[in-house]
Amino acid sequence: MTLDPIQIASSWLQQYGDFLKSGDVKGTVSSFQPNGFLRDILVFTWNNRTLNGHEKITAYLEDTLRSACITEVELETRRGLVPELSGFNAQMISPVAETVSAGFTFGCKVGRGQGYFVLIPTEAGEWKAISVMTQLADISGHEEWILEEGIYGGHTLSWTDVNRERREAIEKNPYVLIVGAGHTGLNLAATFRHMDIASLVVESNLRVGDNWRKRYPTLTLHTPKVYTELLYQSFPRTWPLYTPRDKFADWLEQYVQSEDLVVWTNSRPLPGPTFDITSRRWTIVIDHAGQPVTLNPAHIVLAAGAHGEPNIPVIDNKEAFDGPVVHCEDYQGAKPFAGKRVVVVGAGNTAADICQDLSFHGAESVTMVQRSATCVVSVTSVRQMLEPLYHENLGTEVADFLLMAQPVGLLQQKAKQTEALLVEQQKETYRGLREAGYHLITDQSLFSLFYAGYGGYWFDVGCAELIRSGKVKIKHGVEVTRLENNSVVFTDGSFLEADAVVLATSFKSIRDKMRGIFGDAVIDQTDPVWGLDDEGEIRGCYRPSGHPGLWFAAGEFYVSRARSKQLALEIKAIELGLLKLCRATQDAGSLSAARYPMCLGLRVRDGQLQTLPGGG
């Protein structure tokens, strides 16, 4: 019998919507499979949560469903979100053939929401949700705007004058200070602008995009162009499939101009910011091109990436080494290393690219020091995984929404189902790598590694073949312990003769870097940045950090785009008084501060919710 996805989706949503509107928790939960997921972003609480199974969903909704005031639940009509049979998201979730998925819209207490569900049949043939996502889309009266008319004062004012006045007003009194003008900081600034949140970005480099220009010259993004776009702007049709370093840097620079963002380059926060709990404002001094400027923003967003300063391992006797020892941040190409014996410490994306660069440009020998096992995925496989969703006909906005609709736990389950297929596709590559002494991770998904630590993998664009052929040698399972004048000594007592060492050893946490600016008393109140919490949500980013008015934003292109609106809505809600700042001083186990973002003057201390003096 031919299934009708519209009829199935409509029937399920009608019943589910009635349960939501009436505040019927039991009925709402009955619409899920026993192992179903509810992912909620700012609808039932001012946070992002993922609940798995009837018991946890029930506990979550008991105190939140009625107060959310859900109304007008309707099927989506936008392209890519209409009901479909065995669509992309359904395939990502379940191996069964019969799946129905669709988007929907609804009203809620503070505005409009959007959602997505995936249904699979029970053994009795009844359609139930394996996954539902609800997300606040806009706050009523403060909706995100896309374009303005471009005519000012009835044709009496020039855009140049209007733009200058807007910029000057923001520079004098920004509501939000964003630290970092990489893709994350700029995505945030653009979103804030379209939400009428006055934001100023400070960037330590002389030019926007220098954080990319300063990296190794052969750097090219390993994900296709649609996946790597910024908010509101698509790349030109003629843009390369994989974006080169300098081309992307220049794109960031033009993005600031075309999106009318206010960015101070050659600027950085100085140590000692303070937060006044009464005025709800920071006092922070910015070194703006050598001049101290005091600002009083309500919020500071640290968007300098998930990583901060270079992670330099402790190596004894470095001063005795005759050649250069450089971190990958300072590596500017292989030409100076031609004819030299180079040891590259690290086995991630950067290490693989640098080894390939060194080999091509005539290094006498290249050895990769692989300290622990690594996942290797060909760039072709990455493209095949992304292109069913990220393609020009659908657009990044809908694609991001569809991917956001999938709880990480479900993505990990699906990834486990496809691990064997991925290993089979790359078995010859893997065989050659193992024969060369390279140790592989094949029992953890790329999703798990990315969300757990932002590393432990690399996308192969040619280095694997160099390893297989012996042009890049492998030294596995050891650390560099000391240097001699012309050799690298390892923890197992072995050594390699070397003329140069490149440390592709990643970066420290931005949270740790900011201790030097904000101090331990502030940073110790914040949650760790990156990794997953016990619900499968990213820790510490785009959600309450634990300290009022201080936020972290990090992640690659999809995370940065998809989460920017969430942070904008949280900050707008605080500005409007819908959400009061919560000074959470501890994560008290099951009573985590992050679980109560809607609190009005509450904190978590010693496992108990407490009222703050002065109401928060």
Side-chain angles (χ1 to χ4, degrees):
M1 183 179 69
T2 302
L3 297 174
D4 182 349
I6 296 178
Q7 189 277 326
I8 294 169
S10 298
S11 177
W12 180 88
L13 186 63
Q14 176 67 51
Q15 185 180 58
Y16 185 69
D18 288 344
F19 290 140
L20 291 175
K21 290 183 285 185
S22 65
D24 184 345
V25 174
K26 184 176 180 180
T28 300
V29 175
S30 73
S31 302
F32 288 81
Q33 295 279 349
N35 62 336
F37 287 80
L38 171 64
R39 188 176 205 183
D40 177 48
I41 303 171
L42 308 184
V43 174
F44 300 109
T45 68
W46 287 105
N47 208 332
N48 49 293
R49 301 286 305 277
T50 295
L51 299 310
N52 181 206
H54 281 192
E55 183 178 351
K56 291 182 178 179
I57 297 173
T58 298
Y60 181 62
L61 294 179
E62 277 180 341
D63 297 326
T64 60
L65 179 56
R66 285 191 178 275
S67 60
C69 302
I70 304 299
T71 61
E72 300 174 324
V73 181
E74 299 175 352
L75 281 173
E76 266 276 17
T77 57
R78 287 184 293 167
R79 182 177 182 178
L81 301 176
V82 296
E84 61 179 342
L85 186 65
S86 298
F88 173 82
N89 275 12
Q91 294 173 28
M92 290 293 290
I93 284 176
S94 175
V96 301
E98 296 177 341
T99 54
V100 171
S101 54
F104 63 101
T105 61
F106 56 92
C108 60
K109 185 174 183 178
V110 298
R112 295 294 303 171
Q114 56 188 356
Y116 196 87
F117 59 85
V118 178
L119 311 177
I120 60 176
T122 64
E123 291 183 359
E126 188 177 8
W127 291 91
K128 299 280 188 179
I130 189 65
S131 174
V132 178
M133 188 267 280
T134 54
Q135 181 182 58
L136 182 63
D138 278 303
I139 296 173
S140 294
H142 302 274
E143 290 80 5
E144 175 185 16
W145 58 270
I146 299 302
L147 54 84
E148 57 186 8
E149 190 176 26
I151 298 171
Y152 307 98
H155 286 287
T156 64
L157 300 174
S158 72
W159 174 86
T160 301
D161 290 339
V162 170
N163 191 53
R164 185 189 64 253
E165 290 176 3
R166 289 173 175 175
R167 180 184 183 93
E168 289 173 350
I170 290 172
E171 289 177 320
K172 289 178 181 177
N173 187 29
Y175 187 70
V176 180
L177 176 70
I178 300 172
V179 180
H183 67 274
T184 297
L186 297 185
N187 272 330
L188 283 169
T191 306
F192 290 172
R193 175 174 177 265
H194 288 273
M195 295 276 292
D196 295 322
I197 300 171
S199 63
L200 168 67
V201 185
V202 294
E203 166 60 43
S204 61
N205 286 302
L206 294 178
R207 293 172 60 190
V208 171
D210 277 354
N211 59 323
W212 289 89
R213 294 186 189 94
K214 289 180 177 180
R215 302 187 70 186
Y216 53 96
T218 58
L219 172 62
T220 298
L221 301 180
H222 296 334
T223 45
K225 68 175 186 177
V226 176
Y227 186 80
T228 55
E229 291 176 344
L230 301 186
L231 289 167
Y232 309 111
Q233 288 192 21
S234 298
F235 289 127
R237 291 181 61 192
T238 55
W239 197 261
L241 179 62
Y242 298 105
T243 306
R245 178 198 73 172
D246 291 340
K247 199 169 182 67
F248 189 70
D250 292 345
W251 184 259
L252 293 179
E253 199 165 37
Q254 72 78 33
Y255 188 79
V256 171
Q257 298 301 316
S258 61
E259 288 296 322
D260 300 330
L261 307 182
V262 183
V263 180
W264 287 355
T265 55
N266 192 21
S267 301
R268 58 199 54 79
L270 296 178
T274 58
F275 184 78
D276 188 289
I277 195 66
T278 302
S279 67
R280 304 290 196 267
R281 289 276 177 167
W282 289 92
T283 298
I284 183 170
V285 179
I286 302 298
D287 176 352
H288 179 31
Q291 297 296 318
V293 179
T294 300
L295 299 174
N296 298 108
H299 303 272
I300 298 175
V301 182
L302 303 176
H307 307 302
E309 296 176 339
N311 182 29
I312 309 292
V314 176
I315 301 174
D316 293 337
N317 206 35
K318 278 199 297 186
E319 67 280 356
F321 190 64
D322 290 339
V325 179
V326 300
H327 189 267
C328 58
E329 183 182 53
D330 300 314
Y331 175 85
Q332 287 300 305
K335 291 181 180 179
F337 300 95
K340 298 183 181 297
R341 300 164 296 180
V342 186
V343 173
V344 179
V345 182
N349 259 324
T350 298
D353 283 356
I354 289 175
C355 286
Q356 186 173 349
D357 187 35
L358 290 164
S359 178
F360 180 80
H361 284 96
E364 179 182 324
S365 67
V366 181
T367 301
M368 177 189 289
V369 179
Q370 185 195 28
R371 293 164 292 174
S372 58
T374 314
C375 176
V376 177
V377 182
S378 74
V379 72
T380 302
S381 295
V382 173
R383 181 180 174 184
Q384 289 173 346
M385 286 189 287
L386 292 174
E387 282 192 336
L389 184 58
Y390 285 92
H391 54 84
E392 293 179 349
N393 292 334
L394 186 61
T396 55
E397 181 181 359
V398 173
D400 286 346
F401 177 73
L402 289 171
L403 189 52
M404 182 67 73
Q406 305 313 312
V408 172
L410 274 180
L411 292 176
Q412 290 173 325
Q413 290 178 17
K414 180 59 179 177
K416 288 181 180 179
Q417 298 169 8
T418 60
E419 279 171 10
L421 176 61
L422 186 63
V423 171
E424 177 64 23
Q425 289 175 342
Q426 301 181 109
K427 64 180 181 181
E428 287 303 310
T429 297
Y430 286 177
R431 180 182 61 80
L433 288 172
R434 288 193 176 99
E435 290 175 353
Y438 194 90
H439 288 231
L440 288 161
I441 295 175
T442 58
D443 60 349
Q444 294 184 54
S445 70
L446 185 60
F447 285 111
S448 298
L449 291 168
F450 170 75
Y451 283 115
Y454 217 63
Y457 63 90
W458 51 274
F459 297 154
D460 178 40
V461 294
C463 188
E465 181 56 37
L466 295 175
I467 294 173
R468 293 175 65 188
S469 67
K471 293 181 179 179
V472 172
K473 296 178 173 58
I474 298 298
K475 181 75 173 177
H476 173 77
V478 294
E479 301 271 1
V480 176
T481 184
R482 65 193 311 267
L483 300 178
E484 300 295 345
N485 64 327
N486 63 355
S487 63
V488 177
V489 182
F490 300 99
T491 48
D492 63 355
S494 63
F495 69 94
L496 284 174
E497 293 184 348
D499 303 307
V501 176
V502 179
L503 303 172
T505 48
S506 191
F507 297 82
K508 296 179 182 178
S509 167
I510 185 62
R511 181 171 175 262
D512 290 335
K513 177 183 178 181
M514 287 298 163
R515 287 183 182 277
I517 303 296
F518 289 85
D520 291 341
V522 170
I523 296 301
D524 284 346
Q525 293 184 46
T526 65
D527 293 331
V529 176
W530 210 252
L532 298 177
D533 65 16
D534 56 1
E535 293 179 349
E537 294 290 339
I538 299 173
R539 297 184 300 172
C541 297
Y542 307 99
R543 60 199 306 192
S545 71
H547 188 287
L550 185 63
W551 310 80
F552 290 92
E556 43 71 89
F557 301 99
Y558 150 69
V559 174
S560 172
R561 286 190 309 265
R563 290 296 190 186
S564 291
K565 182 70 173 289
Q566 174 183 337
L567 182 49
L569 287 165
E570 290 170 299
I571 287 177
K572 177 58 74 171
I574 292 171
E575 183 182 14
L576 297 172
L578 299 172
L579 167 61
K580 292 186 179 180
L581 288 172
C582 176
R583 184 179 173 86
T585 57
Q586 293 185 17
D587 182 331
S590 62
L591 278 178
S592 168
R595 295 292 187 262
Y596 296 93
M598 293 184 73
C599 59
L600 303 182
L602 300 179
R603 67 183 171 193
V604 179
R605 176 167 284 174
D606 299 327
Q608 300 294 323
L609 285 175
Q610 299 179 349
T611 302
L612 281 168

